[in-house]
Amino acid sequence: MILKHWWKILSVLVLLYTFTVGMLVPLNSGIESVSPFKAKTGEVLELMVEGYNAHYLETKTGITAWLKLDSVYVLPAKNISVVSNTKLKATFDIPEFLPSEKKVQDATLIVNNEVDGSSLLPSAVFITQGAINETAGKNLAKKAESMQLYQRKGMTFPYRNLLAETIRNTYFHVPLWFGMMIILLISMIYGIRFLLTKETDYDLKSVAYTRVGLLFGILGIFTGALWAKYTWGAYWSWDVKQNMSAVALLIYMAYFVLRSSLDDQEQKARISAIYNIFAFLSLIPLLFIIPRLTDSLHPGNGGNPGLGKDDIDNTMRMVFYPAIIAWTLFGAWMALISYRIDRLSLWFFDDYLEEN
Amino acid sequence: MKRILYTFLFTLVFLCNTIGAQTADSTSLMRSDGKLYVVVGVIVMIFVGIVLFLIYLERKLTSLENQIKTNE
């Protein structure tokens, strides 16, 4: 019995792994915010720094900080005073000239200690130059290679400013959509197999998988909207990815309306299988192509982080890929139960009709 | 069928409002702790969705069982 249902047990175990590891592994330390974010050359900058998941009070070798101007030059902090575990004040002597020709130079803040490793906040401070003298600036700044940066020990997930803990959504919201794609692909394949063989069994499986695929899609949109409320400010921003996802789901809802409008079993199966093919093929431009063509808030499009090498690292991949497989298998389990109920009803009605 | 659909939609909307509700205060529960509770809300939402599907299956099965019983 166990051997027959091995994949269901596997899906549940991997889902449990996703939930526990996905939620328990801590995030890397980061910098949540700084204040002020503007500075002028030739002045002293007193920067209040708010850290995330930081342990400024627990460091033994002390904290160091720099303002990184570009890949070569940095400005070291002349003094750091710790206010709390997650708050510190870094004082910088901004020199007269910066090694740059730009009027306003944006600087990345790097905070470093042996407990948290090094955290950075890109474009943390904007420094306005008075007079511009690039050569003098190069002499006044320090070289980036003089920085001794620590690495935090232990497994962590990356910290991204806007996302913070919601980066864990990568294990829940995203695999639902990937799982949905695979499940809808399977439903299309069963539909095609029905068209080729006219066996009702394939049609029943196709419907069952479409049902679960639609459920995953609906859950995906709702969870996405919940996340969006606290990241973009509103549940629905008429963002192109949100809109296209809604259109895709409407197309699949229409599949069920189509089925219920037809009475003859064979006609119902045939027409809905053909509709299924078009519905699935429409997912590709709707979900993947159009959002990438325009500006979208959604991660993965419009220059936002997504699955690129900077935005998901190997620690996350360890949970992300198994999660996709687990949700797909779990969805298949749900689909098969739905299919078995439909098949039972057909068996019963077939028998019943035969007796009468 | 309609009843199931309406119950499902109502529950989802209700959950959205309760889970997603926040006060005007910027340190509301959902925004605290690095927005961890948004992830918790997502997981709860997924679980509820699966439970609702389970209920849908349960009702289908029950009506099938009743049909078989009355036709025996």
Side-chain angles (χ1 to χ4, degrees):
Chain A
M1 190 205 85
I2 298 281
L3 292 174
K4 202 162 78 107
H5 307 287
W6 66 274
W7 56 274
K8 301 173 186 169
I9 301 172
L10 178 71
S11 81
V12 172
L13 290 176
V14 177
L15 278 182
L16 285 174
Y17 160 81
T18 307
F19 288 132
T20 43
V21 175
M23 292 302 277
L24 288 179
V25 170
L27 290 191
N28 205 351
S29 318
I31 301 169
E32 224 178 271
S33 64
V34 300
S35 159
F37 56 88
K38 289 191 281 195
K40 289 209 188 85
T41 46
E43 290 182 356
V44 174
L45 170 66
E46 290 200 341
L47 202 62
M48 292 303 298
V49 177
E50 178 89 40
Y52 185 82
N53 216 8
H55 307 88
Y56 298 144
L57 290 172
E58 292 169 34
T59 160
K60 294 198 174 43
T61 62
I63 307 178
T64 41
W66 295 269
L67 282 174
K68 191 161 189 274
L69 302 169
D70 52 40
S71 55
V72 186
Y73 294 103
V74 298
L75 300 173
K78 81 169 175 197
N79 181 44
I80 308 235
S81 65
V82 174
V83 176
S84 74
N85 245 344
T86 54
K87 243 197 180 79
L88 60 78
K89 186 166 82 166
T91 316
F92 294 87
D93 264 338
I94 313 280
E96 277 298 325
F97 304 105
L98 296 179
S100 151
E101 300 236 304
K102 289 193 279 194
K103 183 74 183 169
V104 179
Q105 171 78 38
D106 64 301
T108 298
L109 174 68
I110 302 178
V111 173
N112 178 52
N113 69 71
E114 91 280 12
V115 178
D116 299 325
S118 61
S119 322
L120 56 75
L121 179 65
S123 302
V125 180
F126 290 87
I127 309 174
T128 317
Q129 299 205 65
I132 298 186
N133 185 338
E134 198 177 339
T135 344
K138 288 192 180 159
N139 287 328
L140 291 167
K142 295 273 183 300
K143 289 280 181 71
E145 19 194 66
S146 66
M147 297 191 294
Q148 275 188 318
L149 298 174
Y150 293 104
Q151 278 254 311
R152 185 184 163 130
K153 291 189 201 53
M155 180 160 131
T156 60
F157 295 142
Y159 173 83
R160 292 281 175 275
N161 248 68
L162 265 180
L163 296 178
E165 301 284 347
T166 66
I167 203 172
R168 301 179 196 276
N169 245 16
T170 319
Y171 310 129
F172 306 115
H173 166 86
V174 184
L176 272 183
W177 284 106
F178 274 77
M180 178 198 86
M181 290 300 296
I182 300 174
I183 285 174
L184 290 178
L185 174 68
I186 295 174
S187 92
M188 179 183 82
I189 292 175
Y190 274 124
I192 294 173
R193 285 173 91 175
F194 170 80
L195 291 172
L196 293 173
T197 63
K198 293 288 186 291
E199 281 199 30
T200 321
D201 228 36
Y202 288 140
D203 172 58
L204 290 181
K205 282 197 174 140
S206 178
V207 178
Y209 277 97
T210 315
R211 218 172 261 140
V212 172
L214 182 61
L215 171 74
F216 278 11
I218 292 176
L219 288 181
I221 272 207
F222 271 88
T223 56
L226 177 62
W227 173 86
K229 172 72 178 170
Y230 299 99
T231 313
W232 303 342
Y235 289 112
W236 198 263
S237 315
W238 299 106
D239 172 78
V240 63
K241 188 92 170 184
Q242 284 181 313
N243 289 344
M244 294 300 111
S245 310
V247 169
L249 291 188
L250 287 172
I251 290 178
Y252 272 97
M253 286 189 219
Y255 169 91
F256 290 101
V257 174
L258 177 66
R259 277 192 79 93
S260 62
S261 73
L262 297 163
D263 278 327
D264 176 38
Q265 181 65 25
E266 214 226 302
Q267 191 187 40
K268 178 193 296 204
R270 233 176 339 116
I271 294 183
S272 57
I274 297 172
Y275 184 87
N276 197 337
I277 299 174
F278 284 107
F280 184 79
L281 293 177
S282 80
L283 287 182
I284 296 165
L286 284 176
L287 296 178
F288 300 111
I289 301 182
I290 296 182
R292 270 168 236 268
L293 292 177
T294 72
D295 269 335
S296 167
L297 294 164
H298 191 279
N301 311 296
N304 295 306
L307 295 177
K309 66 164 169 53
D310 284 332
D311 312 304
I312 181 166
D313 63 11
N314 285 327
T315 56
M316 291 188 73
R317 287 199 183 98
M318 271 171 46
V319 187
F320 178 60
Y321 292 138
I324 298 178
I325 300 173
W327 281 115
T328 309
L329 289 178
F330 193 72
W333 187 7
M334 295 200 288
L336 282 180
I337 293 182
S338 172
Y339 149 74
R340 283 155 64 190
I341 294 177
D342 285 345
R343 189 177 58 173
L344 216 56
S345 142
L346 213 60
W347 280 348
F348 171 71
F349 276 115
D350 269 0
D351 286 347
Y352 179 69
L353 288 170
E354 271 174 33
E355 279 164 37
N356 291 280
Chain B
M1 190 59 219
K2 258 209 277 193
R3 264 207 310 151
I4 302 173
L5 183 64
Y6 287 150
T7 324
F8 178 74
L9 285 175
F10 173 76
T11 321
L12 272 181
V13 171
F14 175 72
L15 276 168
C16 254
N17 281 328
T18 39
I19 292 173
Q22 62 151 7
T23 59
D25 181 14
S26 64
T27 52
S28 63
L29 172 68
M30 287 300 253
R31 289 195 198 278
S32 68
D33 288 321
K35 297 191 276 194
L36 183 66
Y37 299 109
V38 173
V39 188
V40 174
V42 162
I43 295 177
V44 167
M45 205 182 255
I46 294 174
F47 180 70
V48 168
I50 293 177
V51 166
L52 289 172
F53 187 71
L54 197 61
I55 295 174
Y56 160 79
L57 289 178
E58 158 100 38
R59 289 169 101 143
K60 257 212 157 162
L61 204 52
T62 311
S63 89
L64 191 60
E65 286 166 350
N66 290 337
Q67 280 181 341
I68 294 176
K69 244 202 298 194
T70 55
N71 279 310
E72 252 170 15

